[in-house]
Short mmCIF file of all heavy atoms in Angstrom, two decimals:
data_model
loop_
_atom_site.label_atom_id
_atom_site.label_comp_id
_atom_site.label_asym_id
_atom_site.label_seq_id
_atom_site.Cartn_x
_atom_site.Cartn_y
_atom_site.Cartn_z
N ALA A 54 0.85 -1.19 0.00
CA ALA A 54 0.00 0.00 0.00
C ALA A 54 0.89 1.25 0.00
O ALA A 54 1.94 1.26 0.63
CB ALA A 54 -0.92 -0.01 1.21
N THR A 55 0.44 2.27 -0.71
CA THR A 55 1.15 3.54 -0.80
C THR A 55 0.18 4.67 -0.51
O THR A 55 -0.90 4.71 -1.11
CB THR A 55 1.73 3.73 -2.22
OG1 THR A 55 2.59 2.65 -2.51
CG2 THR A 55 2.49 5.03 -2.34
N PRO A 56 0.53 5.58 0.41
CA PRO A 56 -0.38 6.70 0.69
C PRO A 56 -0.46 7.65 -0.51
O PRO A 56 0.53 7.91 -1.18
CB PRO A 56 0.24 7.38 1.90
CG PRO A 56 1.63 6.89 2.00
CD PRO A 56 1.72 5.61 1.24
N LEU A 57 -1.66 8.17 -0.77
CA LEU A 57 -1.88 9.17 -1.80
C LEU A 57 -2.06 10.52 -1.13
O LEU A 57 -2.37 10.61 0.06
CB LEU A 57 -3.11 8.80 -2.64
CG LEU A 57 -3.04 7.46 -3.37
CD1 LEU A 57 -4.37 7.14 -4.04
CD2 LEU A 57 -1.91 7.46 -4.39
N ASP A 58 -1.90 11.58 -1.88
CA ASP A 58 -1.95 12.94 -1.33
C ASP A 58 -3.29 13.30 -0.71
O ASP A 58 -3.36 14.14 0.17
CB ASP A 58 -1.62 13.97 -2.42
CG ASP A 58 -0.16 13.90 -2.86
OD1 ASP A 58 0.67 13.38 -2.09
OD2 ASP A 58 0.14 14.36 -3.98
N ASP A 59 -4.36 12.69 -1.14
CA ASP A 59 -5.70 13.06 -0.67
C ASP A 59 -6.18 12.23 0.53
O ASP A 59 -7.34 12.25 0.87
CB ASP A 59 -6.71 12.97 -1.81
CG ASP A 59 -6.80 11.57 -2.40
OD1 ASP A 59 -6.12 10.65 -1.90
OD2 ASP A 59 -7.56 11.40 -3.37
N GLY A 60 -5.27 11.46 1.15
CA GLY A 60 -5.64 10.67 2.32
C GLY A 60 -6.01 9.23 2.00
O GLY A 60 -6.10 8.41 2.90
N ARG A 61 -6.23 8.94 0.73
CA ARG A 61 -6.50 7.56 0.33
C ARG A 61 -5.19 6.80 0.23
O ARG A 61 -4.11 7.37 0.38
CB ARG A 61 -7.21 7.52 -1.02
CG ARG A 61 -8.59 8.13 -1.01
CD ARG A 61 -9.23 8.11 -2.37
NE ARG A 61 -8.38 8.82 -3.33
CZ ARG A 61 -8.43 8.67 -4.65
NH1 ARG A 61 -9.31 7.85 -5.19
NH2 ARG A 61 -7.63 9.35 -5.44
N GLN A 62 -5.28 5.52 0.00
CA GLN A 62 -4.11 4.68 -0.23
C GLN A 62 -4.27 3.96 -1.56
O GLN A 62 -5.39 3.63 -1.97
CB GLN A 62 -3.93 3.64 0.87
CG GLN A 62 -3.56 4.23 2.20
CD GLN A 62 -3.24 3.13 3.20
OE1 GLN A 62 -3.33 1.95 2.92
NE2 GLN A 62 -2.85 3.55 4.39
N MET A 63 -3.15 3.72 -2.23
CA MET A 63 -3.17 2.89 -3.42
C MET A 63 -2.66 1.52 -2.99
O MET A 63 -1.61 1.39 -2.38
CB MET A 63 -2.25 3.46 -4.50
CG MET A 63 -2.21 2.58 -5.74
SD MET A 63 -1.26 3.29 -7.11
CE MET A 63 0.35 3.48 -6.38
N LEU A 64 -3.43 0.50 -3.28
CA LEU A 64 -3.10 -0.87 -2.92
C LEU A 64 -2.86 -1.65 -4.21
O LEU A 64 -3.70 -1.66 -5.10
CB LEU A 64 -4.26 -1.49 -2.13
CG LEU A 64 -4.12 -2.96 -1.75
CD1 LEU A 64 -2.97 -3.15 -0.77
CD2 LEU A 64 -5.43 -3.45 -1.16
N ILE A 65 -1.69 -2.28 -4.31
CA ILE A 65 -1.37 -3.10 -5.47
C ILE A 65 -1.34 -4.55 -5.01
O ILE A 65 -0.61 -4.90 -4.09
CB ILE A 65 -0.01 -2.71 -6.08
CG1 ILE A 65 -0.04 -1.25 -6.51
CG2 ILE A 65 0.32 -3.61 -7.27
CD1 ILE A 65 1.30 -0.72 -6.99
N VAL A 66 -2.16 -5.38 -5.66
CA VAL A 66 -2.25 -6.80 -5.34
C VAL A 66 -1.65 -7.57 -6.51
O VAL A 66 -2.07 -7.38 -7.65
CB VAL A 66 -3.71 -7.23 -5.11
CG1 VAL A 66 -3.80 -8.72 -4.83
CG2 VAL A 66 -4.33 -6.41 -3.99
N VAL A 67 -0.67 -8.41 -6.22
CA VAL A 67 0.00 -9.20 -7.26
C VAL A 67 -0.27 -10.67 -7.02
O VAL A 67 -0.04 -11.19 -5.93
CB VAL A 67 1.53 -8.95 -7.25
CG1 VAL A 67 2.22 -9.78 -8.32
CG2 VAL A 67 1.84 -7.47 -7.43
N ASP A 68 -0.78 -11.34 -8.04
CA ASP A 68 -0.98 -12.78 -8.00
C ASP A 68 0.18 -13.39 -8.79
O ASP A 68 0.19 -13.36 -10.01
CB ASP A 68 -2.32 -13.15 -8.64
CG ASP A 68 -2.60 -14.66 -8.60
OD1 ASP A 68 -1.65 -15.46 -8.58
OD2 ASP A 68 -3.79 -15.02 -8.63
N GLN A 69 1.17 -13.89 -8.06
CA GLN A 69 2.38 -14.42 -8.70
C GLN A 69 2.10 -15.64 -9.55
O GLN A 69 2.70 -15.82 -10.60
CB GLN A 69 3.44 -14.74 -7.66
CG GLN A 69 3.97 -13.52 -6.96
CD GLN A 69 5.01 -13.86 -5.90
OE1 GLN A 69 5.20 -15.01 -5.54
NE2 GLN A 69 5.68 -12.84 -5.40
N GLN A 70 1.19 -16.47 -9.11
CA GLN A 70 0.89 -17.68 -9.86
C GLN A 70 0.20 -17.36 -11.19
O GLN A 70 0.55 -17.91 -12.23
CB GLN A 70 0.03 -18.63 -9.03
CG GLN A 70 -0.16 -19.98 -9.67
CD GLN A 70 -0.88 -20.93 -8.73
OE1 GLN A 70 -1.41 -20.55 -7.70
NE2 GLN A 70 -0.90 -22.20 -9.09
N ALA A 71 -0.76 -16.47 -11.16
CA ALA A 71 -1.49 -16.10 -12.37
C ALA A 71 -0.77 -15.02 -13.17
O ALA A 71 -1.16 -14.71 -14.29
CB ALA A 71 -2.88 -15.61 -12.02
N ARG A 72 0.28 -14.44 -12.58
CA ARG A 72 1.02 -13.33 -13.20
C ARG A 72 0.07 -12.20 -13.59
O ARG A 72 0.04 -11.73 -14.71
CB ARG A 72 1.83 -13.80 -14.39
CG ARG A 72 2.96 -14.70 -13.98
CD ARG A 72 3.84 -15.04 -15.12
NE ARG A 72 4.96 -15.85 -14.65
CZ ARG A 72 5.78 -16.46 -15.44
NH1 ARG A 72 5.66 -16.36 -16.73
NH2 ARG A 72 6.77 -17.17 -14.94
N ALA A 73 -0.69 -11.78 -12.58
CA ALA A 73 -1.66 -10.71 -12.78
C ALA A 73 -1.55 -9.73 -11.62
O ALA A 73 -1.05 -10.08 -10.55
CB ALA A 73 -3.07 -11.29 -12.84
N LEU A 74 -2.00 -8.50 -11.86
CA LEU A 74 -2.02 -7.53 -10.77
C LEU A 74 -3.28 -6.71 -10.85
O LEU A 74 -3.92 -6.61 -11.90
CB LEU A 74 -0.78 -6.65 -10.76
CG LEU A 74 -0.50 -5.69 -11.90
CD1 LEU A 74 -1.24 -4.39 -11.73
CD2 LEU A 74 0.99 -5.39 -11.92
N ALA A 75 -3.64 -6.14 -9.71
CA ALA A 75 -4.80 -5.26 -9.62
C ALA A 75 -4.39 -4.06 -8.77
O ALA A 75 -3.62 -4.19 -7.83
CB ALA A 75 -5.98 -5.98 -8.97
N ILE A 76 -4.91 -2.90 -9.13
CA ILE A 76 -4.63 -1.67 -8.39
C ILE A 76 -5.96 -1.14 -7.86
O ILE A 76 -6.94 -1.03 -8.60
CB ILE A 76 -3.95 -0.62 -9.28
CG1 ILE A 76 -2.61 -1.17 -9.78
CG2 ILE A 76 -3.77 0.70 -8.52
CD1 ILE A 76 -1.92 -0.30 -10.80
N TYR A 77 -5.96 -0.84 -6.57
CA TYR A 77 -7.15 -0.32 -5.89
C TYR A 77 -6.82 1.01 -5.23
O TYR A 77 -5.68 1.23 -4.83
CB TYR A 77 -7.61 -1.27 -4.78
CG TYR A 77 -8.05 -2.62 -5.26
CD1 TYR A 77 -7.14 -3.68 -5.36
CD2 TYR A 77 -9.38 -2.87 -5.59
CE1 TYR A 77 -7.54 -4.93 -5.80
CE2 TYR A 77 -9.79 -4.12 -6.02
CZ TYR A 77 -8.86 -5.14 -6.12
OH TYR A 77 -9.27 -6.38 -6.54
N HIS A 78 -7.82 1.85 -5.07
CA HIS A 78 -7.72 3.02 -4.21
C HIS A 78 -8.61 2.74 -3.00
O HIS A 78 -9.78 2.37 -3.16
CB HIS A 78 -8.18 4.28 -4.93
CG HIS A 78 -7.16 4.82 -5.87
ND1 HIS A 78 -7.35 5.96 -6.60
CD2 HIS A 78 -5.91 4.38 -6.20
CE1 HIS A 78 -6.28 6.21 -7.34
NE2 HIS A 78 -5.40 5.25 -7.12
N VAL A 79 -8.04 2.90 -1.83
CA VAL A 79 -8.73 2.64 -0.57
C VAL A 79 -8.97 3.98 0.12
O VAL A 79 -8.03 4.75 0.31
CB VAL A 79 -7.90 1.72 0.35
CG1 VAL A 79 -8.64 1.44 1.64
CG2 VAL A 79 -7.52 0.43 -0.37
N ASP A 80 -10.21 4.26 0.48
CA ASP A 80 -10.56 5.48 1.21
C ASP A 80 -10.95 5.07 2.62
O ASP A 80 -12.07 4.62 2.87
CB ASP A 80 -11.70 6.21 0.52
CG ASP A 80 -12.00 7.56 1.14
OD1 ASP A 80 -11.64 7.78 2.32
OD2 ASP A 80 -12.59 8.39 0.45
N PRO A 81 -10.02 5.20 3.58
CA PRO A 81 -10.33 4.76 4.94
C PRO A 81 -11.44 5.59 5.60
O PRO A 81 -12.21 5.07 6.40
CB PRO A 81 -9.02 4.90 5.70
CG PRO A 81 -8.11 5.68 4.84
CD PRO A 81 -8.67 5.69 3.46
N ALA A 82 -11.56 6.85 5.24
CA ALA A 82 -12.61 7.71 5.84
C ALA A 82 -14.00 7.24 5.40
O ALA A 82 -14.92 7.19 6.21
CB ALA A 82 -12.38 9.16 5.43
N ALA A 83 -14.13 6.89 4.14
CA ALA A 83 -15.44 6.46 3.62
C ALA A 83 -15.62 4.95 3.73
O ALA A 83 -16.73 4.45 3.57
CB ALA A 83 -15.57 6.88 2.15
N GLY A 84 -14.53 4.23 3.98
CA GLY A 84 -14.62 2.77 4.06
C GLY A 84 -14.85 2.13 2.70
O GLY A 84 -15.53 1.11 2.62
N THR A 85 -14.29 2.74 1.65
CA THR A 85 -14.53 2.21 0.30
C THR A 85 -13.25 1.69 -0.33
O THR A 85 -12.15 2.11 0.01
CB THR A 85 -15.12 3.29 -0.62
OG1 THR A 85 -14.22 4.40 -0.69
CG2 THR A 85 -16.47 3.76 -0.12
N LEU A 86 -13.43 0.78 -1.24
CA LEU A 86 -12.36 0.18 -2.02
C LEU A 86 -12.78 0.28 -3.48
O LEU A 86 -13.84 -0.22 -3.86
CB LEU A 86 -12.18 -1.29 -1.61
CG LEU A 86 -11.16 -2.11 -2.38
CD1 LEU A 86 -9.76 -1.68 -2.00
CD2 LEU A 86 -11.35 -3.59 -2.07
N GLU A 87 -11.96 0.96 -4.29
CA GLU A 87 -12.30 1.17 -5.70
C GLU A 87 -11.24 0.54 -6.58
O GLU A 87 -10.06 0.87 -6.49
CB GLU A 87 -12.38 2.68 -5.98
CG GLU A 87 -12.75 3.01 -7.39
CD GLU A 87 -12.78 4.52 -7.64
OE1 GLU A 87 -12.55 5.30 -6.71
OE2 GLU A 87 -13.02 4.89 -8.79
N LEU A 88 -11.68 -0.38 -7.44
CA LEU A 88 -10.77 -1.02 -8.40
C LEU A 88 -10.43 0.00 -9.48
O LEU A 88 -11.32 0.55 -10.13
CB LEU A 88 -11.43 -2.25 -9.02
CG LEU A 88 -10.63 -2.97 -10.10
CD1 LEU A 88 -9.33 -3.55 -9.53
CD2 LEU A 88 -11.46 -4.07 -10.74
N LYS A 89 -9.14 0.27 -9.68
CA LYS A 89 -8.70 1.22 -10.69
C LYS A 89 -8.21 0.53 -11.96
O LYS A 89 -8.38 1.05 -13.05
CB LYS A 89 -7.59 2.12 -10.14
CG LYS A 89 -7.99 2.95 -8.94
CD LYS A 89 -9.22 3.79 -9.19
CE LYS A 89 -8.90 5.06 -9.89
NZ LYS A 89 -10.06 5.95 -10.05
N SER A 90 -7.55 -0.62 -11.81
CA SER A 90 -7.00 -1.29 -12.98
C SER A 90 -6.66 -2.73 -12.62
O SER A 90 -6.33 -3.04 -11.48
CB SER A 90 -5.73 -0.56 -13.43
OG SER A 90 -5.18 -1.15 -14.58
N THR A 91 -6.75 -3.60 -13.60
CA THR A 91 -6.33 -4.98 -13.44
C THR A 91 -5.69 -5.42 -14.75
O THR A 91 -6.06 -4.93 -15.82
CB THR A 91 -7.49 -5.91 -13.04
OG1 THR A 91 -6.99 -7.21 -12.80
CG2 THR A 91 -8.57 -5.96 -14.08
N ARG A 92 -4.72 -6.31 -14.66
CA ARG A 92 -4.00 -6.68 -15.87
C ARG A 92 -3.28 -8.01 -15.70
O ARG A 92 -2.70 -8.28 -14.66
CB ARG A 92 -2.98 -5.59 -16.17
CG ARG A 92 -2.20 -5.82 -17.44
CD ARG A 92 -1.34 -4.62 -17.72
NE ARG A 92 -0.60 -4.83 -18.93
CZ ARG A 92 -0.33 -3.89 -19.81
NH1 ARG A 92 -0.76 -2.66 -19.58
NH2 ARG A 92 0.36 -4.14 -20.88
N ASP A 93 -3.31 -8.80 -16.76
CA ASP A 93 -2.49 -10.00 -16.86
C ASP A 93 -1.12 -9.51 -17.34
O ASP A 93 -1.00 -8.98 -18.43
CB ASP A 93 -3.10 -10.96 -17.89
CG ASP A 93 -2.29 -12.22 -18.10
OD1 ASP A 93 -1.09 -12.26 -17.75
OD2 ASP A 93 -2.85 -13.17 -18.66
N ILE A 94 -0.10 -9.64 -16.50
CA ILE A 94 1.22 -9.09 -16.84
C ILE A 94 2.17 -10.13 -17.44
O ILE A 94 3.33 -9.82 -17.68
CB ILE A 94 1.88 -8.42 -15.62
CG1 ILE A 94 2.11 -9.41 -14.49
CG2 ILE A 94 1.07 -7.22 -15.17
CD1 ILE A 94 2.96 -8.88 -13.37
N ARG A 95 1.68 -11.32 -17.71
CA ARG A 95 2.58 -12.36 -18.24
C ARG A 95 3.24 -11.90 -19.52
O ARG A 95 4.40 -12.14 -19.75
CB ARG A 95 1.82 -13.67 -18.41
CG ARG A 95 1.57 -14.14 -19.79
CD ARG A 95 0.74 -15.37 -19.88
NE ARG A 95 -0.36 -15.29 -18.94
CZ ARG A 95 -1.01 -16.33 -18.45
NH1 ARG A 95 -0.72 -17.53 -18.84
NH2 ARG A 95 -1.98 -16.17 -17.60
N TRP A 96 2.50 -11.20 -20.41
CA TRP A 96 3.08 -10.75 -21.68
C TRP A 96 4.03 -9.59 -21.44
O TRP A 96 5.04 -9.47 -22.13
CB TRP A 96 1.96 -10.37 -22.66
CG TRP A 96 0.99 -11.49 -22.80
CD1 TRP A 96 -0.31 -11.51 -22.38
CD2 TRP A 96 1.24 -12.79 -23.33
NE1 TRP A 96 -0.89 -12.73 -22.63
CE2 TRP A 96 0.06 -13.54 -23.22
CE3 TRP A 96 2.35 -13.42 -23.88
CZ2 TRP A 96 -0.05 -14.85 -23.65
CZ3 TRP A 96 2.24 -14.74 -24.32
CH2 TRP A 96 1.06 -15.43 -24.19
N ASP A 97 3.73 -8.73 -20.47
CA ASP A 97 4.64 -7.63 -20.14
C ASP A 97 6.00 -8.18 -19.73
O ASP A 97 7.04 -7.63 -20.08
CB ASP A 97 4.09 -6.81 -18.97
CG ASP A 97 2.77 -6.12 -19.27
OD1 ASP A 97 2.08 -6.55 -20.21
OD2 ASP A 97 2.45 -5.17 -18.56
N LEU A 98 5.98 -9.27 -18.96
CA LEU A 98 7.23 -9.84 -18.46
C LEU A 98 8.05 -10.50 -19.56
O LEU A 98 9.23 -10.76 -19.38
CB LEU A 98 6.92 -10.85 -17.34
CG LEU A 98 6.25 -10.26 -16.11
CD1 LEU A 98 5.84 -11.37 -15.15
CD2 LEU A 98 7.15 -9.25 -15.42
N MET A 99 7.43 -10.77 -20.71
CA MET A 99 8.15 -11.36 -21.83
C MET A 99 8.78 -10.32 -22.75
O MET A 99 9.61 -10.67 -23.59
CB MET A 99 7.20 -12.24 -22.65
CG MET A 99 6.77 -13.48 -21.93
SD MET A 99 5.67 -14.40 -23.01
CE MET A 99 5.46 -15.89 -22.06
N VAL A 100 8.40 -9.06 -22.59
CA VAL A 100 8.98 -7.99 -23.42
C VAL A 100 10.43 -7.80 -22.99
O VAL A 100 10.71 -7.55 -21.82
CB VAL A 100 8.18 -6.68 -23.26
CG1 VAL A 100 8.87 -5.54 -24.00
CG2 VAL A 100 6.77 -6.87 -23.77
N GLU A 101 11.32 -7.93 -23.93
CA GLU A 101 12.74 -7.85 -23.61
C GLU A 101 13.24 -6.41 -23.52
O GLU A 101 14.14 -6.10 -22.76
CB GLU A 101 13.54 -8.59 -24.69
CG GLU A 101 15.00 -8.72 -24.37
CD GLU A 101 15.74 -9.57 -25.37
OE1 GLU A 101 15.21 -10.62 -25.76
OE2 GLU A 101 16.83 -9.17 -25.76
N ASP A 102 12.67 -5.51 -24.29
CA ASP A 102 13.20 -4.16 -24.43
C ASP A 102 12.08 -3.14 -24.41
O ASP A 102 11.38 -2.99 -25.41
CB ASP A 102 13.91 -4.07 -25.78
CG ASP A 102 15.31 -3.51 -25.69
OD1 ASP A 102 15.63 -2.91 -24.67
OD2 ASP A 102 16.05 -3.69 -26.66
N PHE A 103 11.88 -2.44 -23.31
CA PHE A 103 10.83 -1.43 -23.28
C PHE A 103 11.21 -0.31 -22.32
O PHE A 103 10.51 -0.03 -21.36
CB PHE A 103 9.49 -2.06 -22.88
CG PHE A 103 8.32 -1.12 -23.10
CD1 PHE A 103 7.84 -0.90 -24.37
CD2 PHE A 103 7.71 -0.49 -22.04
CE1 PHE A 103 6.78 -0.05 -24.58
CE2 PHE A 103 6.64 0.36 -22.24
CZ PHE A 103 6.17 0.58 -23.51
N ASN A 104 12.32 0.32 -22.56
CA ASN A 104 12.72 1.50 -21.79
C ASN A 104 12.35 2.74 -22.57
O ASN A 104 12.42 2.75 -23.79
CB ASN A 104 14.23 1.51 -21.53
CG ASN A 104 14.62 0.65 -20.36
OD1 ASN A 104 13.78 0.03 -19.74
ND2 ASN A 104 15.89 0.61 -20.07
N ALA A 105 11.99 3.79 -21.88
CA ALA A 105 11.62 5.02 -22.55
C ALA A 105 12.85 5.81 -22.98
O ALA A 105 12.77 6.66 -23.84
CB ALA A 105 10.76 5.87 -21.62
N LYS A 106 13.98 5.54 -22.36
CA LYS A 106 15.20 6.31 -22.66
C LYS A 106 16.37 5.36 -22.86
O LYS A 106 16.38 4.24 -22.36
CB LYS A 106 15.52 7.26 -21.50
CG LYS A 106 14.46 8.30 -21.27
CD LYS A 106 14.87 9.22 -20.14
CE LYS A 106 13.81 10.29 -19.93
NZ LYS A 106 14.19 11.22 -18.89
N ASP A 107 17.36 5.86 -23.56
CA ASP A 107 18.60 5.11 -23.73
C ASP A 107 19.44 5.22 -22.46
O ASP A 107 19.32 6.20 -21.73
CB ASP A 107 19.39 5.67 -24.93
CG ASP A 107 18.73 5.30 -26.25
OD1 ASP A 107 18.11 4.23 -26.32
OD2 ASP A 107 18.85 6.08 -27.20
N PRO A 108 20.28 4.26 -22.19
CA PRO A 108 20.57 3.08 -22.99
C PRO A 108 19.52 2.00 -22.74
O PRO A 108 19.11 1.76 -21.62
CB PRO A 108 21.93 2.63 -22.51
CG PRO A 108 22.00 3.05 -21.09
CD PRO A 108 21.18 4.33 -21.02
N ARG A 109 19.12 1.38 -23.81
CA ARG A 109 18.17 0.27 -23.73
C ARG A 109 18.91 -0.98 -23.28
O ARG A 109 20.12 -1.09 -23.44
CB ARG A 109 17.52 0.06 -25.09
CG ARG A 109 16.81 1.32 -25.57
CD ARG A 109 15.80 1.00 -26.63
NE ARG A 109 15.23 2.20 -27.24
CZ ARG A 109 14.36 3.01 -26.66
NH1 ARG A 109 13.96 2.79 -25.45
NH2 ARG A 109 13.88 4.07 -27.30
N PRO A 110 18.19 -1.96 -22.70
CA PRO A 110 18.84 -3.17 -22.22
C PRO A 110 19.66 -3.88 -23.30
O PRO A 110 20.74 -4.39 -23.03
CB PRO A 110 17.67 -4.04 -21.75
CG PRO A 110 16.65 -3.05 -21.32
CD PRO A 110 16.77 -1.93 -22.31
N SER A 111 19.18 -3.89 -24.53
CA SER A 111 19.93 -4.57 -25.59
C SER A 111 21.26 -3.86 -25.85
O SER A 111 22.27 -4.51 -26.11
CB SER A 111 19.12 -4.66 -26.87
OG SER A 111 18.76 -3.37 -27.33
N ALA A 112 21.29 -2.53 -25.78
CA ALA A 112 22.54 -1.80 -25.97
C ALA A 112 23.51 -2.08 -24.83
O ALA A 112 24.71 -2.25 -25.06
CB ALA A 112 22.26 -0.30 -26.07
N LEU A 113 23.01 -2.14 -23.61
CA LEU A 113 23.87 -2.47 -22.47
C LEU A 113 24.45 -3.86 -22.62
O LEU A 113 25.64 -4.09 -22.37
CB LEU A 113 23.09 -2.37 -21.16
CG LEU A 113 22.68 -0.97 -20.74
CD1 LEU A 113 21.74 -1.04 -19.56
CD2 LEU A 113 23.90 -0.14 -20.42
N ARG A 114 23.62 -4.81 -23.05
CA ARG A 114 24.08 -6.18 -23.23
C ARG A 114 25.19 -6.24 -24.28
O ARG A 114 26.21 -6.89 -24.09
CB ARG A 114 22.91 -7.08 -23.62
CG ARG A 114 23.30 -8.55 -23.75
CD ARG A 114 22.10 -9.49 -23.98
NE ARG A 114 21.07 -8.96 -24.84
CZ ARG A 114 19.83 -8.65 -24.44
NH1 ARG A 114 19.48 -8.80 -23.18
NH2 ARG A 114 18.94 -8.19 -25.30
N LYS A 115 25.02 -5.52 -25.39
CA LYS A 115 26.04 -5.50 -26.45
C LYS A 115 27.35 -4.91 -25.93
O LYS A 115 28.43 -5.41 -26.24
CB LYS A 115 25.56 -4.70 -27.65
CG LYS A 115 24.53 -5.44 -28.48
CD LYS A 115 24.06 -4.59 -29.65
CE LYS A 115 22.94 -5.27 -30.40
NZ LYS A 115 22.39 -4.42 -31.46
N MET A 116 27.25 -3.85 -25.12
CA MET A 116 28.46 -3.23 -24.55
C MET A 116 29.19 -4.22 -23.65
O MET A 116 30.41 -4.29 -23.68
CB MET A 116 28.10 -1.98 -23.76
CG MET A 116 27.69 -0.81 -24.63
SD MET A 116 27.07 0.67 -23.77
CE MET A 116 27.68 0.59 -22.13
N LEU A 117 28.43 -4.97 -22.87
CA LEU A 117 29.05 -5.92 -21.93
C LEU A 117 29.62 -7.14 -22.65
O LEU A 117 30.55 -7.77 -22.16
CB LEU A 117 28.04 -6.34 -20.88
CG LEU A 117 27.62 -5.25 -19.91
CD1 LEU A 117 26.44 -5.70 -19.08
CD2 LEU A 117 28.79 -4.83 -19.03
N GLU A 118 29.06 -7.48 -23.81
CA GLU A 118 29.51 -8.65 -24.53
C GLU A 118 30.69 -8.37 -25.47
O GLU A 118 31.29 -9.29 -26.00
CB GLU A 118 28.36 -9.25 -25.34
CG GLU A 118 27.29 -9.87 -24.48
CD GLU A 118 26.08 -10.34 -25.25
OE1 GLU A 118 25.93 -9.98 -26.45
OE2 GLU A 118 25.25 -11.06 -24.66
N MET A 119 31.02 -7.11 -25.65
CA MET A 119 32.14 -6.75 -26.54
C MET A 119 33.46 -7.26 -25.96
O MET A 119 33.70 -7.14 -24.76
CB MET A 119 32.22 -5.23 -26.73
CG MET A 119 31.08 -4.64 -27.50
SD MET A 119 31.23 -2.87 -27.59
CE MET A 119 32.02 -2.71 -29.16
N PRO A 120 34.31 -7.83 -26.82
CA PRO A 120 35.62 -8.26 -26.32
C PRO A 120 36.45 -7.07 -25.87
O PRO A 120 36.36 -5.99 -26.44
CB PRO A 120 36.26 -8.96 -27.53
CG PRO A 120 35.43 -8.59 -28.71
CD PRO A 120 34.14 -8.06 -28.23
N LYS A 121 37.24 -7.30 -24.85
CA LYS A 121 38.06 -6.20 -24.29
C LYS A 121 39.36 -6.08 -25.03
O LYS A 121 39.90 -6.92 -25.61
CB LYS A 121 38.33 -6.44 -22.82
CG LYS A 121 37.05 -6.32 -22.02
CD LYS A 121 37.31 -6.51 -20.55
CE LYS A 121 36.01 -6.38 -19.79
NZ LYS A 121 36.17 -6.43 -18.38
#
């Protein structure tokens, strides 16, 4: 759980076996739980290269594999 600026909390639930996650916002004052997002992340975990900025993992790997 992570506190949010408005007094609510963000709760991330990870199902390791199903490789899925769900994100909830919890409002302790109102006693509510709101589902914000859910996703099967198995395909995300198979993506080899998805950085927004360089150096990308493939470039780092090539640098490390270069003969000295």
Side-chain angles (χ1 to χ4, degrees):
T55 302
L57 300 174
D58 292 339
D59 60 3
R61 295 178 302 159
Q62 292 187 357
M63 178 174 59
L64 176 65
I65 301 173
V66 178
V67 179
D68 181 333
Q69 293 179 349
Q70 188 173 11
R72 292 186 177 169
L74 65 84
I76 299 173
Y77 297 91
H78 282 181
V79 181
D80 186 338
T85 59
L86 176 72
E87 181 181 358
L88 177 64
K89 299 305 278 184
S90 182
T91 184
R92 182 174 181 143
D93 178 342
I94 61 170
R95 111 185 42 203
W96 307 112
D97 297 20
L98 297 173
M99 291 180 173
V100 174
E101 187 174 317
D102 231 343
F103 191 76
N104 278 1
K106 297 182 179 182
D107 287 329
R109 302 199 188 287
S111 59
L113 291 171
R114 183 173 38 247
K115 285 179 186 175
M116 288 173 22
L117 292 170
E118 291 174 347
M119 292 177 96
K121 293 182 180 185

